[in-house]
Amino acid sequence: MSRLLTLIAISAAAATAACNVPIYEPEPVSGYQWERRQQAIERQQAERVRLCRITRDEDPRKEELCRGVEREND
């Protein structure tokens, strides 16, 4: 019985750990790669700002979507 519980605990821990694997992204080595990386970062930030702007205040995801985004004064 204790082996079964141990096996279940190990399986659950392994499944949880798989979600926390960091994504490896090599550093750009050329100017072109740095420029593409910067453009991707700018696109991601613009998308976050857009999602924050169009999400209604009563939406439960509003806080998560707007975290780190400067809000405009309406």
Side-chain angles (χ1 to χ4, degrees):
M1 181 70 175
S2 66
R3 283 186 177 179
L4 179 60
L5 291 176
T6 304
L7 182 60
I8 292 171
I10 291 171
S11 297
T16 303
C19 296
N20 297 328
V21 175
I23 297 173
Y24 172 73
E25 184 177 322
E27 288 290 317
V29 292
S30 70
Y32 174 74
Q33 290 174 334
W34 278 105
E35 184 179 354
R36 298 256 336 242
R37 179 176 182 258
Q38 187 61 35
Q39 289 171 349
I41 291 169
E42 290 170 359
R43 282 193 305 272
Q44 290 171 351
Q45 182 62 22
E47 179 65 9
R48 289 185 67 205
V49 169
R50 185 186 75 80
L51 287 173
C52 179
R53 187 178 59 240
I54 65 173
T55 304
R56 294 188 174 136
D57 289 336
E58 59 272 4
D59 191 324
R61 299 172 298 164
K62 178 78 172 185
E63 182 179 338
E64 179 183 339
L65 291 172
C66 294
R67 190 174 301 133
V69 174
E70 288 190 29
R71 299 181 190 189
E72 298 176 8
N73 294 333
D74 293 317

